[in-house]
Amino acid sequence: MKKNKIIIVGAGLSGTLLAIRMAQRGIEVSLHEKRSDMRKDAWEGGRSINLALSERGLIALDRVGLKEEVLKECIPMKGRMIHSETGELRFSPYSGREEDFINSVSRSGLNITLLDEAEKMDNLTLHFHSSCQKVELENGAIHVKNMQSGEVRREEADLVIGTDGAGSAVRSSMMARTPELLFNFSQDFLRHGYKELSIHPGDGGAFKIEKNALHIWPRHEFMMIALPNLDGSFTLTMFHPYKGKAGFDELTTREKVKAFFEEAYADLLPFIPHYLDEYFENPVGILGTIRCLPWQAFGKTLIMGDAAHAIVPFYGQGMNASFEDVRVFDDLMQEMGDDWDKILPEFERRRHANANAIADLALDNFMEMQDKVADEAFILKRKIEMELEQTYPDYYSKYSLVTFRPELPYAQAMKLGRLQDKHLLDICKNGSIHQMNLEEVHHQMIGLQDVIEMA
Amino acid sequence: MKKNKIIIVGAGLSGTLLAIRMAQRGIEVSLHEKRSDMRKDAWEGGRSINLALSERGLIALDRVGLKEEVLKECIPMKGRMIHSETGELRFSPYSGREEDFINSVSRSGLNITLLDEAEKMDNLTLHFHSSCQKVELENGAIHVKNMQSGEVRREEADLVIGTDGAGSAVRSSMMARTPELLFNFSQDFLRHGYKELSIHPGDGGAFKIEKNALHIWPRHEFMMIALPNLDGSFTLTMFHPYKGKAGFDELTTREKVKAFFEEAYADLLPFIPHYLDEYFENPVGILGTIRCLPWQAFGKTLIMGDAAHAIVPFYGQGMNASFEDVRVFDDLMQEMGDDWDKILPEFERRRHANANAIADLALDNFMEMQDKVADEAFILKRKIEMELEQTYPDYYSKYSLVTFRPELPYAQAMKLGRLQDKHLLDICKNGSIHQMNLEEVHHQMIGLQDVIEMA
């Protein structure tokens, strides 16, 4: 029952997931990836090694029947392990509920699982080394160049979907027609970049620091984080400014880096004897937010995932937001069939404000992770949040609203979460929290929720 | 005394002004314009016919010695003439002071005056049909294509300055190196476009409506404005949404346009018997804001004017802001000589926040012009502002701060102006204005000024 043909540009995580789902719906899918088959040659550069997979992403994986298979390759992270400058450890759970955790997963491992599944499908064709040069927006056609032969050919379908990431070629074809589409666009880069290092596995694949946590070394102006991998290693990521005291532009010699690490990351050093080599081998990546509108044109072309809304990684929601795009697109096909003229604008309408919200939340969280997680009022606030979540099944902190309540769109989670955050932090700071029992606090917080839901 | 060579890309208003000033400083200037010499062939499309020239622009023109010559070609506009839906006229002065007015000037006339002046200078070379293809940012070199011969050649200088407008090729060369420059960029388009019409001159060049005013027909969701020209004509500009009741997408037949104009612009119709022809001959232009950062790279490349900060036209400050760029750049050379490594970052530092401020103010003013100028509390507020300006030499409304106090940077004018605006509108709305004498109001407003100046 092939009722339609879709070209998908980009066989990264969300593009491959989308391709599988569309193929499952009986649609003929042509999936183009400019890089090689990552199952044969590892893709190089630019993207993080592991990622946090949480509820929104899992729902989308469940939609294609891969949730359980993927979860087997995940390591649960139940909270943040905060490493102070003096080496003390403090564990801050993500939620007051035992069943709420996020998952560390290998980007390439997950992508391979998806590609393997895609390849099983008769009505899905995978094209590697196939680089989209331009899109004929109103014709649903792409011009693709074979990166090995150099040959360029045209392919046409009923719909072109760009899931080709932050540097999207499909988006560029839309931007090239700015006056006609009134194409709004912004790219904003942090004054911080990132560099990856690693903690090697211990004997027999042992984890040298707590396995089931996302580790943070918050240092106000900069930070380091670590996520566990299945083999017992951890991927460390330094988030540092380019300029200034802890800046990548300053940390240019082995002597300088060594002196700096001995001061800033003393408790980590015993686990990373090789860090100086890695520091000078690995590149500095940039961190930015991309927003645009429209996401679709002429009922024939659509962008989703990072191509439409690239965000900074600090909420662990980049992949989850992109997977949620796939889930919402699939919902719309369930509702509307294959009426692309209706589906594409409706997809944009449902997702755009939510993509903006998670972009804003991710920027907020950067502040929180590098700085506030070590602040007294913030620590008290988190403690109360945990107690509320342990005691009242209807209470969710901002983090929990975003991460563990996937039925709530990001924009609503942001609105309610920010109100709750501000109120709870205010009463922690002014001390009035000490005159209240937990039920009173709960009552106030749920009151905020009512305000939002009536709005 | 040729101490340096500068390439300037774009011989529009600010590029030509900059070229003259740099040549006056003894610098060798190479000025490239991709279009033809507008003194021989009129430039086509896309830009408004006349513009509002005010103090900031005049100061820059004075710097090159052209202020008096240009003023002779200007028509003073002393305020807004508001045309109500029922045809009543209400004149709202721009300031309480007789000496404060803005000037309607022909874009092409002013550009020709500048080109004539530029051509007189021995150390300034004008290249028409010369299109910048790319910039070698760190070499101060451009690749220019002769649009007549097709020949591409490379030219090098000590500095390249892009004054090539909203679609800047110099900015594109910077954006192409986004990761390295962390090039932040945004383009945002209004859901309104514009179309120009005209009122023809009366017998013997008579002005058919008030000569010394900027006319507005505010209609809430859309508006028309008119600026006078020296020959007795007025250039009308419709600012309408693309979609909806008054949308360009709806007004598609002579019958529809006629019915619409008869309802919306009844008092204007006697003056524009030919409007239906013009409506269907003239294109719809787009209105957008462009922001970016950095504006400079490697001490060798700089963008200014619309190339760095294109804004919507509703504060009448686009050209004035670009001319002010030239004045500030000239100030910096006075202070720092030709140390481009220092001047370029300092120029960006002094101008960036101010460019953002005038972009925001211009967007605010769109709301004000199409809607609030007809609102009762707003009209009372403007009346009080006039009285304050007539009575107290130290009082300036937000409009006056921006337009008539060029010594105050835009960002400060915005900060103070918004505070004043809000306070005065509040006391007009809640009626407490009626319990106060003018001195009390003045005292409160000046109090706000103190807060700002101490901040």
Side-chain angles (χ1 to χ4, degrees), chain B residues 20 71 117 126 162 168 170 188 215 341 344 355 358 361 424 444:
Chain B
I20 296 168
L71 276 177
E117 185 70 17
L126 267 161
S168 172
V170 180
D188 269 288
H215 295 260
D341 282 328
L344 302 196
I358 192 60
L361 284 165
L424 197 50
Q444 287 189 355

Side-chain angles (χ1 to χ4, degrees), chain A residues 16-43:
Chain A
T16 312
L17 180 68
L18 177 70
I20 296 168
R21 186 59 196 152
M22 292 301 102
Q24 288 176 340
R25 284 194 164 278
I27 293 171
E28 186 188 339
V29 176
S30 180
L31 175 59
H32 292 265
E33 170 57 49
K34 72 177 171 195
R35 295 166 292 190
S36 59
D37 187 342
M38 72 187 310
R39 293 166 298 181
K40 296 170 190 155
D41 310 296
W43 289 347

Side-chain angles (χ1 to χ4, degrees), chain B residues 13 38 49 73 105-114:
Chain B
L13 295 168
M38 71 186 314
I49 290 164
E73 305 295 310
V105 67
S106 153
R107 174 190 290 273
S108 59
L110 178 52
N111 213 331
I112 286 170
T113 300
L114 292 165

Side-chain angles (χ1 to χ4, degrees), chain B residues 97 388-389 392-398 400-401 405 407-408 412-421 423 441-455:
Chain B
R97 300 179 189 87
L388 287 167
E389 290 185 341
Y392 301 97
D394 63 349
Y395 185 72
Y396 290 81
S397 69
K398 183 175 84 174
S400 291
L401 290 169
R405 285 196 57 185
E407 76 285 3
L408 202 64
Q412 296 213 35
M414 178 174 75
K415 210 168 169 187
L416 175 56
R418 282 183 171 175
L419 271 185
Q420 290 180 171
D421 248 25
H423 184 70
V441 179
H442 176 247
H443 186 74
Q444 287 189 355
M445 302 302 278
I446 293 302
L448 297 173
Q449 199 167 336
D450 288 351
V451 173
I452 288 293
E453 289 178 355
M454 290 191 304

